[in-house]
Amino acid sequence: MQNIDELIEEAQKQGYKITPQRREIFKILVNNDSHPKAEDIYNILKDRMPDVSLATVYNTLNMLKELGMIDAIALFEDDSVRYDPTTKAHDHLYCLHCNRIVDVEKDQDDLGFTEKEISGFQIVKRQVTYYGYCPECRDILKTT
Amino acid sequence: MQNIDELIEEAQKQGYKITPQRREIFKILVNNDSHPKAEDIYNILKDRMPDVSLATVYNTLNMLKELGMIDAIALFEDDSVRYDPTTKAHDHLYCLHCNRIVDVEKDQDDLGFTEKEISGFQIVKRQVTYYGYCPECRDILKTT
DNA sequence: AATCTAATTTATAATAATTATAAATAAAGA
DNA sequence: TCTTTATTTATAATTATTATAAATTAGATT
Ligand SMILES: [Mn+2]
Ligand SMILES: [Mn+2]
Ligand SMILES: [Zn+2]
Ligand SMILES: [Zn+2]
């Protein structure tokens, strides 16, 4: 999700209508590396469109998921789904204290992997999450 | 979680009381590689103790989690936590069709890793999940 | 520009996993 | 056996997400 216009074009090509709500959600997501949850997006959106509903946020996120424009991230110890507009395969760091998610810049690894076979399984996706403490929280917790 | 008696001893040492309910849940978990959810355990348990409550299952699982005797696994596209009595670090294969979780036998990898540093994060745990289709489901879906 | 129709939005209810509560019960120690 | 405190149970509460259905609207058609 880098380019809004391409995204809109693709959505329209797939038969989706472009509403002001969707356009605004797109804007929030483009170049967003914060891995927001639905409600984070809703809160930003409300400032710009006070009458928007949370259901529309979920609708739009599900639409983008189907279009393959965003990924969903499930976490242990955090019960809301986090969304990621970077769909290129990459790993995540999750801070158990502040709940931030940070991308891991991968050095070489099998990045462009799409389908692989392990133990007879046909793999379509891999999720790697490192749980720990970010530098900031680490310092805070050290002092306490 | 291999040995029930050691588990009971450890639980008692930590101040927990050993009830028939807990003893029975322990039995269900020992040497169980099916990665059950709370309700799976509850269903097995009900046959042996018809008056047991689901709350007790959750209580006991949380207790075992605190004791470090089991792990919890969060999954994308599956909204209940799966429990794993094998706490030694290992990866998982998740079948998107039948929801089975299978352990990945690791060849060499950095298995005994406990704490590591990545991007300034202090890592305490890593979760690796491969999403795909198990051999059985693969065949079924191929025919369809 | 006015009309049409199916998709979308909205408010709201439903769902589902898990946790909280509080009274009844029971484990373990004295 | 008695006592204390943890545990169990039934049930309510919580929370993220999905479903529903009436009102609205995007985008195509006239
Ligand atoms: Mn990411
Ligand atoms: Mn496992
Ligand atoms: Zn942090
Ligand atoms: Zn399967």
Side-chain angles (χ1 to χ4, degrees), chain A residues 12-28:
Chain A
Q12 273 175 329
K13 193 184 297 174
Q14 300 299 321
Y16 291 102
K17 292 181 175 173
I18 305 305
T19 63
Q21 292 89 338
R22 286 183 173 171
R23 206 180 287 271
E24 211 57 42
I25 292 170
F26 294 171
K27 281 195 212 157
I28 291 171

Side-chain angles (χ1 to χ4, degrees), chain B:
Chain B
M1 279 204 46
Q2 341 281 19
N3 190 314
I4 275 215
D5 296 323
E6 275 175 33
L7 168 50
I8 288 175
E9 196 180 10
E10 178 64 20
Q12 274 176 328
K13 192 184 295 172
Q14 299 299 321
Y16 291 103
K17 291 181 178 173
I18 304 305
T19 64
Q21 292 90 336
R22 286 181 175 172
R23 205 180 287 270
E24 211 57 41
I25 293 171
F26 294 172
K27 281 194 213 159
I28 291 171
L29 286 171
V30 164
N31 289 326
N32 185 330
D33 65 350
S34 71
H35 306 86
K37 56 178 90 169
E39 202 159 5
D40 296 331
I41 295 166
Y42 176 60
N43 287 329
I44 298 169
L45 196 57
K46 259 194 313 195
D47 289 340
R48 310 183 193 171
M49 313 183 87
D51 294 334
V52 79
S53 85
L54 180 55
T56 296
V57 174
Y58 276 106
N59 275 345
T60 304
L61 289 169
N62 286 334
M63 176 201 117
L64 289 170
K65 231 168 40 175
E66 270 179 20
L67 286 174
M69 309 304 289
I70 60 173
D71 276 340
I73 306 170
L75 297 156
F76 165 72
E77 298 280 306
D78 189 337
D79 41 10
S80 35
V81 170
R82 307 282 290 260
Y83 294 92
D84 193 339
T86 303
T87 52
K88 198 178 92 176
H90 62 284
D91 299 350
H92 288 117
L93 295 164
Y94 175 78
C95 179
L96 292 161
H97 188 249
C98 68
N99 307 2
R100 246 187 304 178
I101 297 179
V102 172
D103 291 342
V104 178
E105 47 255 85
K106 312 234 290 178
D107 294 330
Q108 65 292 338
D109 223 26
D110 53 335
L111 197 51
F113 121 110
T114 43
E115 296 209 4
K116 207 175 171 180
E117 251 211 50
I118 303 178
S119 306
F121 272 64
Q122 174 184 357
I123 310 297
V124 298
K125 178 181 168 173
R126 183 180 66 163
Q127 189 192 304
V128 179
T129 310
Y130 293 90
Y131 295 86
Y133 298 93
C134 74
E136 287 78 0
C137 292
R138 204 176 169 175
D139 290 344
I140 291 163
L141 296 170
K142 211 179 286 171
T143 327
T144 317

Side-chain angles (χ1 to χ4, degrees), chain A residues 75-120:
Chain A
L75 297 156
F76 167 72
E77 296 281 306
D78 189 336
D79 39 11
S80 34
V81 171
R82 308 282 290 261
Y83 294 92
D84 192 339
T86 302
T87 52
K88 198 179 92 176
H90 62 284
D91 299 349
H92 288 116
L93 294 163
Y94 176 78
C95 179
L96 292 161
H97 187 248
C98 67
N99 307 345
R100 246 187 305 179
I101 295 178
V102 173
D103 291 341
V104 177
E105 45 256 86
K106 311 233 292 175
D107 296 329
Q108 64 293 338
D109 224 24
D110 52 334
L111 198 50
F113 120 111
T114 44
E115 297 209 2
K116 208 175 172 182
E117 251 212 48
I118 304 178
S119 306

